[in-house]
Amino acid sequence: MKQKKFIRLLLSYLLLAFMVCVIIYPLLWTVGASFNPGNSLISTSIIPKNPSLVHYQELFAGKDSLQYVQWYKNSLKISLFTMVGTMISVSFTAYAFSRFRFKGRKHGLTLFLLLQMIPQFSALIALFVLAQMLGLMNSHWLLIMLYIGGLIPMNTYLMKGYMDSIPIDLDESARIDGASHTRIFLQIIMPLSKPMLAVVAMNGFTGPLGDFILASTILRTPDAYTLPIGLFNLVNDVMGASYTKFAAGAILISIPVAFIFVLLQRHFVSGLTAGGTKG
């Protein structure tokens, strides 16, 4: 029995080590490429022989008319507003589905489940036509609303599952003391739902930050671009593609993600594992 347990433990560690290598190796190559001089990846090595900060300097110095700082601001603006909007809307919808019984409730949950199975890019033509009809092409606010709408179904399921695990006796006790639904929601349910709110916040922030397809459909001018679109243009030009500069810009995208993760870390793990306890 001890030998079998040792073998299972060894295989588990080997699998974990393999997965770490799969994740870390491309990241190390990206970091190494960002410090390599030149624009080609052919002569790039994972450990640069002559490391240089020239690509980072070019991103912020405005050389070659790069608008990296503007793209960075646009991405942060869209991600932050999407995160806040998603947290507010998902909190309301999850509370309604968890605590109230109304006509069409089960059908609404089924619809949310079906919406999760439909890829977002399948509605690109309809969204493009809608943006033109509303005169909101190249609008960050339209893009924020689309992101929030796309994040509601999946995150509502997660939040509802977590709220279902909160004893309803707390609601009834507060109602006996004269508390309204609004007060119960704000002072009881929301404080207890902080772990799942952290998960929803992380999903709302990272989703727009890495999206390219929907953003490139709505945003058309360079000053309105987000980071994924702007960085794609660095490698889209066949004659002037700069892969190493792209690597430097991609590394900098991870800074706000890491910052948000550190802020939410103490809630993140427990919330991630608790959302599916009840359906």
Side-chain angles (χ1 to χ4, degrees):
M1 293 297 294
K2 290 184 178 180
Q3 186 177 5
K4 290 183 178 180
K5 185 178 180 180
F6 173 78
I7 293 175
R8 287 198 299 267
L9 188 62
L10 178 62
L11 292 176
S12 300
Y13 277 112
L14 288 176
L15 179 60
L16 289 174
F18 173 75
M19 294 305 300
V20 168
C21 292
V22 170
I23 296 173
I24 296 298
Y25 185 71
L27 180 61
L28 291 178
W29 261 106
T30 306
V31 173
S34 68
F35 289 103
N36 270 275
N39 295 327
S40 176
L41 291 178
I42 297 177
S43 59
T44 299
S45 59
I46 193 170
I47 301 178
K49 296 180 180 179
N50 300 306
S52 173
L53 294 174
V54 62
H55 300 307
Y56 293 95
Q57 294 172 353
E58 290 177 355
L59 288 175
F60 292 98
K63 186 179 178 180
D64 301 327
S65 300
L66 286 177
Q67 297 176 303
Y68 185 80
V69 176
Q70 183 63 40
W71 301 339
Y72 212 105
K73 291 179 180 178
N74 294 341
S75 292
L76 289 180
K77 168 189 170 183
I78 293 173
S79 294
L80 288 173
F81 277 102
T82 300
M83 179 181 69
V84 175
T86 301
M87 291 173 62
I88 295 174
S89 57
V90 167
S91 298
F92 287 145
T93 54
Y95 179 70
F97 279 117
S98 176
R99 288 302 195 256
F100 296 100
R101 298 298 180 265
F102 50 88
K103 188 176 181 180
R105 175 178 175 273
K106 290 185 178 180
H107 296 295
L109 289 172
T110 303
L111 178 62
F112 276 12
L113 182 63
L114 293 175
L115 288 174
Q116 296 181 55
M117 302 178 183
I118 302 175
Q120 194 177 42
F121 62 82
S122 61
L124 285 181
I125 296 177
L127 295 176
F128 178 78
V129 173
L130 178 64
Q132 285 192 322
M133 291 175 60
L134 296 175
L136 293 175
M137 286 296 297
N138 214 45
S139 171
H140 289 165
W141 298 110
L142 174 62
L143 194 60
I144 290 170
M145 295 303 295
L146 292 176
Y147 284 140
I148 293 175
L151 289 167
I152 286 177
M154 178 189 70
N155 289 289
T156 295
Y157 251 90
L158 291 174
M159 181 71 80
K160 176 192 173 297
Y162 190 86
M163 287 184 178
D164 286 345
S165 65
I166 299 175
I168 200 169
D169 296 341
L170 297 175
D171 302 43
E172 295 174 350
S173 299
R175 202 171 293 117
I176 292 174
D177 292 336
S180 62
H181 288 296
T182 303
R183 189 170 184 179
I184 293 172
F185 173 74
L186 294 176
Q187 297 186 2
I188 297 178
I189 302 300
M190 283 296 97
L192 294 175
S193 300
K194 284 183 180 179
M196 185 50 62
L197 279 175
V199 176
V200 173
M202 196 68 184
N203 291 338
F205 186 81
T206 57
L209 202 60
D211 176 69
F212 172 80
I213 298 177
L214 183 57
S216 61
T217 303
I218 303 298
L219 306 179
R220 294 292 175 171
T221 58
D223 60 325
Y225 284 170
T226 56
L227 278 174
I229 307 175
L231 291 178
F232 173 77
N233 290 334
L234 292 180
V235 295
N236 191 38
D237 188 359
V238 177
M239 299 301 296
S242 180
Y243 293 97
T244 49
K245 195 179 299 181
F246 174 90
I251 290 298
L252 294 177
I253 296 179
S254 63
I255 295 178
V257 177
F259 179 74
I260 294 295
F261 182 82
V262 170
L263 289 179
L264 303 175
Q265 185 179 13
R266 60 175 181 172
H267 302 297
F268 187 66
V269 175
S270 60
L272 190 64
T273 58
T277 54
K278 292 186 180 180

